[in-house]
Amino acid sequence: MKLVSSAPQSAGADPVRRIRELPDELVSQIAAGEVVERPASVVRELVDNALDAGASQVTVRLAAGGVRSITVEDDGTGIAVEDLPLALRRHATSKIASLAELESVRTMGFRGEALAAIASVAEVMLTTRTRDAPHAWRLHARSGELAPAARAAGTTVEVQELFFSTPARRKFLKTDATELAHCLEAVRRHALARPDVGFAVWHEGRLAAQWRPADGAPQRWADVLGAEFVAASRGLQLERGPLVVHGRVGQPEAARSRADLQYLFVNGRYVRDRLLAHAVRSAYEDQLHGSRQPAYALFLAITPELVDVNVHPTKIEVRFRDGRAVHQTLRHAVEEALAGSRALVSPVSPAPAVPVTVMPQGSAPWQPGLALADVAPAAQEGAPRWQVEGPWRTPQGSGGIDAWAGLREPPPAAGDDGKGTAGWPLGREDRPGTAGWPLGRAVAQIGGVYVLAENAQGLVVVDMHAAHERIVYERLKRAAGAGAALPAQPLLIPVSFAATAAEIAIAEAEHEALLALGLDVGVLAAGTLVARSRPAALPDADLAELTRSVLADLSEAGSTRVVQRARDELLATMACHGAVRASRRLTIEEMNALLREMEATERADTCNHGRPTWRQVTMKELDALFLRGR
Ligand SMILES: Nc1ncnc2c1ncn2[C@@H]1O[C@H](COP(=O)(O)OP(=O)(O)OP(=O)(O)O)[C@@H](O)[C@H]1O
Ligand SMILES: [Mg+2]
């Protein structure tokens, strides 16, 4: 706004601004902006360096989520004392010396930028000793002071008060718990890629995560990703030309609501690459409902000359010389692995034609009767179950609210609930028993997604997951009241589940927020959380998945203050878990119960994301489809 109004006045008035070279310090700070976004970026760079130095054990110590201090110790080669000041200089590296070496680079680092960038936005101390040196040396980056020190062979880098000189940047940081979670995630990625190296992360003097050198990759993957993932995934190994792919892909029914278990590595480097992600996703194409996210950890090894890692400041993206071939090979590898699993899955019932998202084994069946009573207390008192004045409107152009006039009598008796639909007469005038039900009587379910019902106007099509999600969401909002805690139902048998160190950190930091949501979550043992209560309004949700999603939301939201504001979003996440999954096969009774619940729920004609939950296709429209009466 300001710019627009002041521009005409100042045009021509200002002297031409001269071009000048920026001071070194500012150049470094600008460069640091690209490399160092948060404490986790520092952790990633320092662990990269330790691995490049051939470390077999890397220890990370953090204070205040890494914001106050980050220390990374390794037992690698160390740095020669003559080179020590160079290590902090921009564009100084021991890893490449020519373009040819850049093109065939096998180390994690090669730009000679990371330490300089970090030193421009934090206090940095380097302590290092090579194997043949009589003692260690310690360099203080800001003062340049170099002094003898005590240390075994290897390097320690201490980074303190990140962004102390750039307060604007510091403001973007989230809570300590969230920053810690990101730091842990950074180490997790390294741990997945390097099973031969031991990793430990300490936070405020407590061991937050530890992975000992593993007996091969599968052992490390199980250590990092958990036995649950391993049990619900298939291994794969494929070699084609210059490309080797190995790793594990989650079975479709173990898909998640979030893309939080998707790891792709190229030559040991964690990447977020569209081409690769697309290749994997497309291998799941006909097996996964659109919004579900597959879980996978995939490791690609390719001749370095065939991949450009110098694409992104944080090296998180890569470019392949032959992207198509890589895409095809990866897709093929994943398809093969999944084909193997599919054969094992459903020997009895034929696979559903469209999506496959199966309710987790052992979870309680959906109980529409209970839910209905919960939603529509009026029904229990014999009052009409729904009101014309309520939220119910027919979608535009299909009869309007008048169509429902006079439909306030109680619904037909329970016996007349749609069983035995096969014998229904086809006559138009005497479709039975739909009079009391605006959304009609259920007749079928198709594609595992839609419920078809017949009402006075013709055909009703309901997106069952979207509709039920809205119902559960409204129920949760009512139960939550204005800021009160959600009623919790204590569990006779607590549910324990594997959790990442990051999840555990968030669970501890946000214990109160979780309680307010009806989730009493505690730490059972290293790598295991336990839920001792569930939200009473979600009797059927998979607790492990629900808790993980809520933890992910909390980690995003940051502080408890934000949580209050993000409450509706949290409830929406929870509703998604409480809602019947697409692909669940419903009985006619369950379908009818869903329709009745919709009729009794506010705002039930759109889902939480604003999409319609149901559509009316009138007899007239059906007639038009078949050119009847022309
Ligand atoms: N932990 C370490 N052990 C041994 N040498 C190290 C260690 N950390 C840094 N160095 C030395 O310091 C140099 C500079 O490190 P820095 O991370 O700034 O650059 P780089 O790793 O070469 O490239 P990039 O900017 O891509 O990370 C390295 O090339 C390496 O020689
Ligand atoms: Mg580096």
Side-chain angles (χ1 to χ4, degrees), residues 151-341:
R151 197 206 186 285
T155 303
T156 301
V157 183
E158 291 168 70
V159 176
Q160 281 168 9
E161 301 300 336
L162 186 61
F163 301 137
F164 71 95
S165 57
T166 48
R169 196 80 196 213
R170 192 155 183 159
K171 282 198 199 111
F172 280 96
L173 296 178
K174 299 267 173 66
T175 59
D176 292 353
T178 299
E179 295 305 335
L180 170 63
H182 284 285
C183 290
L184 285 164
E185 181 61 23
V187 182
R188 230 164 109 85
R189 291 171 186 168
H190 281 110
L192 281 172
R194 292 295 302 272
D196 54 319
V197 177
F199 294 88
V201 184
W202 296 78
H203 185 241
E204 304 283 356
R206 280 172 61 193
L207 188 61
Q210 183 172 34
W211 296 287
R212 294 178 203 288
D215 263 351
Q219 180 58 51
R220 174 58 64 84
W221 300 341
D223 291 347
V224 177
L225 300 173
E228 224 170 289
F229 168 73
V230 173
S233 62
R234 308 276 295 181
L236 66 80
Q237 169 87 40
L238 187 121
E239 195 170 340
R240 188 156 300 173
L243 181 65
V244 182
V245 184
H246 73 144
R248 296 195 75 83
V249 287
Q251 289 170 354
E253 53 277 23
R256 304 158 76 85
S257 55
R258 281 168 192 276
D260 58 350
L261 216 163
Q262 298 185 343
Y263 292 97
L264 285 168
F265 296 82
V266 175
N267 291 346
R269 197 191 301 282
Y270 172 85
V271 294
R272 214 175 286 131
D273 185 90
R274 283 215 189 153
L275 176 97
L276 300 179
H278 182 269
V280 179
R281 178 82 214 186
S282 57
Y284 282 89
E285 207 158 57
D286 59 345
Q287 302 184 61
L288 214 54
H289 187 253
S291 64
R292 303 289 289 168
Q293 295 289 346
Y296 52 81
L298 290 166
F299 302 80
L300 281 71
I302 187 167
T303 318
E305 285 80 359
L306 298 181
V307 57
D308 185 357
V309 289
N310 187 25
V311 179
H312 189 274
T314 65
K315 313 185 187 94
I316 193 134
E317 287 169 19
V318 290
R319 204 178 290 136
F320 295 100
R321 189 165 300 173
D322 188 350
R324 258 182 68 145
V326 172
H327 187 282
Q328 273 174 7
T329 306
L330 181 57
R331 177 181 172 149
H332 179 72
V334 177
E335 273 172 355
E336 292 271 279
L338 293 177
S341 73

Side-chain angles (χ1 to χ4, degrees), residues 72-88:
V72 176
E73 302 163 13
D74 67 54
D75 56 358
T77 57
I79 306 171
V81 62
E82 315 81 83
D83 284 354
L84 207 40
L86 269 181
L88 291 162

Side-chain angles (χ1 to χ4, degrees), residues 134-159:
H135 59 79
W137 289 92
R138 181 175 163 90
L139 173 68
H140 187 277
R142 193 153 296 267
S143 68
E145 192 185 311
L146 183 65
R151 197 206 186 285
T155 303
T156 301
V157 183
E158 291 168 70
V159 176

Side-chain angles (χ1 to χ4, degrees), residues 486-505:
L486 275 181
Q489 180 194 331
L491 298 175
L492 282 179
I493 304 165
V495 177
S496 66
F497 52 93
T500 64
E503 286 167 338
I504 289 175

